[in-house]
Amino acid sequence: MMGFDVGRFQGNVDEELICPICSQVLEHPVQAPKCEHAFCLTCIMEWLSHQPTCPVDRIGISSSELQPVPRILKNLLARLVIACDYAGTGCQAMVKLESLQSHVQDCEHNPQKPVSCEQGCGLVIPKDNVKDHNCVKELRSLIQNQQQKFQEFQEEVVEQRLTINELKRELNYLKEFVRAVRSSHPTMRAIADQFEKDEVRRWASTLPKAKVSRWGAMISTPDEVLQSMIRRSLSESGCPPHIMEELMENCHETQWPAGLSSLQTRQRQRREYDSYVCRRIPGKQAVLALACDNQHMSEELMVEPGIVMIFALGIE
Amino acid sequence: MANIAAQRIKREFKEVIKSEEVAKCAIKVELVSDSYTELKGEIAGPPDTPYEGGNFVLEIKVPETYPFNPPKVRFLTKIWHPNISSVTGAICLDILKDQWAAAMTLRTVLLSLQALLSAAEPDDPQDAVVAKQYKDAPDMFRLTARYWTAAYAGGPYSNPDFDSKIRRLTDMGIESHDARVALSSFNWDLERATEQLFS
Ligand SMILES: [Zn+2]
Ligand SMILES: [Zn+2]
Ligand SMILES: [Zn+2]
Ligand SMILES: [Zn+2]
């Protein structure tokens, strides 16, 4: 790898655009930090593997100190006009250096130009392979590849399952341990309670506040599919596991507090609803009214640790 | 030969040919093989040095890894200089070793060698005998170096005293180059040179 052959360019190329290592026109140029000498990336990396100095003035440099070149140099390079890589096999095109890559990819004279097979399989193959291409053979090897990958995934799943089981056992042990510690002393209990509360607050602060514009669109009896979608979204957002179960139970009117539990009571309390502090359940038409956010609400309208409200529409 | 090395040498070859030093006949370069792996360089002895008036031919071998490694250069013309072996022509010059930098070119190498002829570095010698003479008997060194320039590089100098001492040894069947080396090494003391040649 090295720069672009000077002979491929239209007109004279300015000396400043020449790499002092390969003496060609700079390709992916970078510069030394202090002296600002510019080189092709591959050229300077190769040189630095011999000696940690600038090849022009021998000021000490390391590969991590290399910097992008100034925009003006990039622009000068981009505007140079160069002959296509396949000029030797008949392409007459002269293009700007910045568009060389896209031209070459699509150049009619590029033997590797990607084309899709028209004999049935529809695979994208290099042009020079079309002659020897055999749809059945290609597809068969594709299937074989995928089967192999599939097998690898299956093996991985087994591995992961084992790890998960191990972790579960460890986690259960830890849970038991924490429970024992918690019940052994009132101070410990207080610490653990505080810890759990803080965890809920921290999580809540990561969820954006939401505004409900259509309280009438509330779904009071969500089905299982809907519930499991909400549960997944909560879990992905980092919901602390110790409140997950209770929260999910509180997504159905059977578990809601008195003020919400039936259509009549809901209609009676309508005016109070806008006082709820709601947080968006990411990606869903659903909000969380957490007890820690809603201490101003009456007991009629709030339960620990909070309520999940799912809507047909109207969440901002 | 690696593409990058060939590209570089082609360009540098042109650079030397077009340089003003070529116009002044100070440096020259020729191809030995068409693969650009081997070249022949030539430098003129700098004025006001014992090498003035001489032309020194260099063997230049370009490694596959050029320009990440320096070219291998040695003097083909015999020369009396502290940093150049009087036997093999091997050169002790930092830029041809660890001080090489990839941006240096054939032209800078030839000019550096010419500079080396103007300013020897006796503390980093390639030829210990020459370096000792350079430090202990500088006048003798200058005469000897100029005499070698005349004998091997076409310099204009003549020294009838040295000529006659060499003739005394060649009359005894010694090759004239061996005689010149022995006499040069012993500050032109005929007796000690003879002793060494026949011991
Ligand atoms: Zn380069
Ligand atoms: Zn530099
Ligand atoms: Zn093209
Ligand atoms: Zn096909």
Side-chain angles (χ1 to χ4, degrees):
Chain A
M1 271 298 289
M2 51 197 282
F4 302 98
D5 191 335
V6 181
R8 287 174 60 186
F9 290 86
Q10 200 171 59
N12 278 335
V13 179
D14 196 51
E15 270 304 315
E16 276 180 54
L17 307 179
I18 304 286
C19 166
I21 298 177
C22 64
S23 78
Q24 312 276 14
V25 175
L26 292 164
E27 182 171 13
H28 304 305
V30 290
Q31 70 177 25
K34 288 174 215 118
C35 56
E36 300 185 346
H37 285 117
F39 314 94
C40 309
L41 179 64
T42 49
C43 290
I44 189 67
M45 291 306 278
E46 173 72 20
W47 168 253
L48 291 177
S49 74
H50 286 78
Q51 208 172 284
T53 57
C54 168
V56 179
D57 47 36
R58 293 196 297 246
I59 294 176
I61 43 170
S62 71
S63 56
S64 62
E65 291 174 299
L66 294 173
Q67 300 169 345
V69 294
R71 183 176 325 190
I72 179 153
L73 188 67
K74 276 188 204 156
N75 288 345
L76 285 174
L77 282 166
R79 273 187 240 130
L80 293 176
V81 174
I82 187 171
C84 173
D85 289 10
Y86 302 105
T89 50
C91 182
Q92 307 266 315
M94 294 293 286
V95 297
K96 288 215 179 101
L97 190 51
E98 62 188 336
S99 51
L100 178 65
Q101 210 182 355
S102 63
H103 167 82
V104 163
Q105 272 237 311
D106 237 26
C107 178
E108 283 307 316
H109 299 268
N110 176 1
Q112 303 273 319
K113 182 187 174 184
V115 292
S116 26
C117 171
E118 283 167 3
Q119 296 161 53
C121 78
L123 292 175
V124 175
I125 50 175
K127 201 171 164 186
D128 60 351
N129 280 8
V130 171
K131 202 155 52 79
D132 302 322
H133 172 78
N134 177 326
C135 297
V136 174
K137 214 173 104 194
E138 289 296 323
L139 287 174
R140 198 170 273 165
S141 86
L142 190 74
I143 290 174
Q144 208 166 34
N145 261 333
Q146 289 185 336
Q147 270 175 337
Q148 199 182 338
K149 256 188 219 150
F150 181 67
Q151 204 170 354
E152 281 166 14
F153 281 137
Q154 271 183 322
E155 282 162 21
E156 209 182 301
V157 166
V158 172
E159 281 288 309
Q160 304 268 24
R161 211 170 274 155
L162 280 175
T163 317
I164 288 172
N165 282 338
E166 248 169 67
L167 289 174
K168 269 187 187 160
R169 281 199 298 276
E170 204 158 327
L171 204 61
N172 277 333
Y173 167 79
L174 275 172
K175 270 190 198 157
E176 287 301 323
F177 182 76
V178 169
R179 197 168 302 147
V181 169
R182 198 177 198 161
S183 57
S184 72
H185 199 280
T187 320
M188 286 297 173
R189 196 172 310 140
I191 291 174
D193 287 350
Q194 190 57 46
F195 194 84
E196 284 177 355
K197 267 187 208 151
D198 288 350
E199 191 60 24
V200 173
R201 281 217 181 82
R202 196 168 328 151
W203 168 61
S205 71
T206 67
L207 301 175
K209 293 250 172 71
K211 199 168 148 35
V212 178
S213 58
R214 304 278 286 272
W215 287 101
M218 198 189 297
I219 301 172
S220 53
T221 54
D223 63 13
E224 261 174 51
V225 178
L226 194 51
Q227 287 194 34
S228 75
M229 268 164 53
I230 299 294
R231 174 191 290 271
R232 171 173 282 254
S233 184
L234 281 178
S235 168
E236 279 168 359
S237 76
C239 173
H242 70 273
I243 58 166
M244 174 67 103
E245 288 311 317
E246 289 171 274
L247 272 182
M248 283 312 297
E249 278 167 17
N250 297 350
C251 74
H252 200 280
E253 66 176 6
T254 53
Q255 299 287 327
W256 282 344
L260 289 172
S261 58
S262 71
L263 197 55
Q264 288 92 338
T265 54
R266 284 203 287 278
Q267 264 158 4
R268 220 182 307 127
Q269 305 275 0
R270 202 77 179 245
R271 248 176 289 137
E272 306 286 324
Y273 289 174
D274 280 330
S275 310
Y276 276 124
V277 174
C278 296
R279 293 184 186 274
R280 180 77 186 262
I281 297 179
K284 297 283 173 289
Q285 283 290 318
V287 298
L288 260 178
L290 285 168
C292 64
D293 282 334
N294 290 285
Q295 278 156 3
H296 57 284
M297 300 300 278
S298 70
E299 255 172 57
E300 282 262 274
L301 290 168
M302 187 42 66
V303 284
E304 283 287 345
I307 306 166
V308 172
M309 302 170 182
I310 306 170
F311 294 82
L313 54 112
I315 305 301
E316 291 159 28
Chain B
M1 185 179 214
N3 204 12
I4 183 165
Q7 290 285 351
R8 273 275 309 244
I9 293 295
K10 260 187 233 172
R11 198 175 149 95
E12 291 172 30
F13 183 73
K14 279 189 210 138
E15 181 196 37
V16 174
I17 290 188
K18 284 195 217 139
S19 68
E20 50 182 309
E21 293 87 11
V22 158
K24 287 187 283 182
C25 300
I27 61 172
K28 214 165 110 181
V29 62
E30 276 169 30
L31 292 177
V32 174
S33 67
D34 21 323
S35 63
Y36 288 92
T37 51
E38 200 172 331
L39 300 100
K40 206 173 83 175
E42 213 175 294
I43 54 177
D48 305 318
T49 69
Y51 311 103
E52 181 171 9
N55 270 312
F56 298 87
V57 179
L58 302 152
E59 175 190 83
I60 304 170
K61 288 189 172 166
V62 183
E64 190 79 17
T65 53
Y66 187 80
F68 301 108
N69 291 108
K72 292 188 173 62
V73 186
R74 72 180 181 103
F75 277 78
L76 290 176
T77 306
K78 299 257 175 257
I79 184 168
W80 192 252
H81 186 286
N83 304 107
I84 301 159
S85 165
S86 61
V87 182
T88 63
I91 304 163
C92 179
L93 179 62
D94 54 2
I95 63 149
L96 292 178
K97 293 174 184 162
D98 55 343
Q99 290 300 302
W100 169 253
M104 290 178 178
T105 63
L106 290 177
R107 178 171 164 268
T108 52
V109 166
L110 293 176
L111 293 177
S112 303
L113 286 171
Q114 209 169 33
L116 184 67
L117 297 189
S118 304
E121 301 209 21
D123 293 325
D124 191 16
Q126 179 74 34
D127 193 309
V129 176
V130 184
K132 189 170 180 339
Q133 187 185 61
Y134 181 94
K135 283 208 226 175
D136 299 347
D139 291 336
M140 187 57 82
F141 164 78
R142 265 191 296 281
L143 290 178
T144 308
R146 205 183 299 169
Y147 193 65
W148 278 55
T149 303
Y152 299 110
Y157 178 65
S158 71
N159 185 324
D161 176 37
F162 288 0
D163 287 343
S164 75
K165 282 177 176 164
I166 288 177
R167 209 170 311 115
R168 291 277 292 281
L169 289 172
T170 54
D171 286 348
M172 290 188 266
I174 303 289
E175 287 285 334
S176 72
H177 174 66
D178 296 338
R180 194 172 291 109
V181 170
L183 285 162
S184 300
S185 305
F186 290 104
N187 293 342
W188 298 89
D189 181 331
L190 184 57
E191 221 168 286
R192 289 182 59 200
T194 315
E195 202 176 289
Q196 193 244 345
L197 282 167
F198 287 98
S199 65

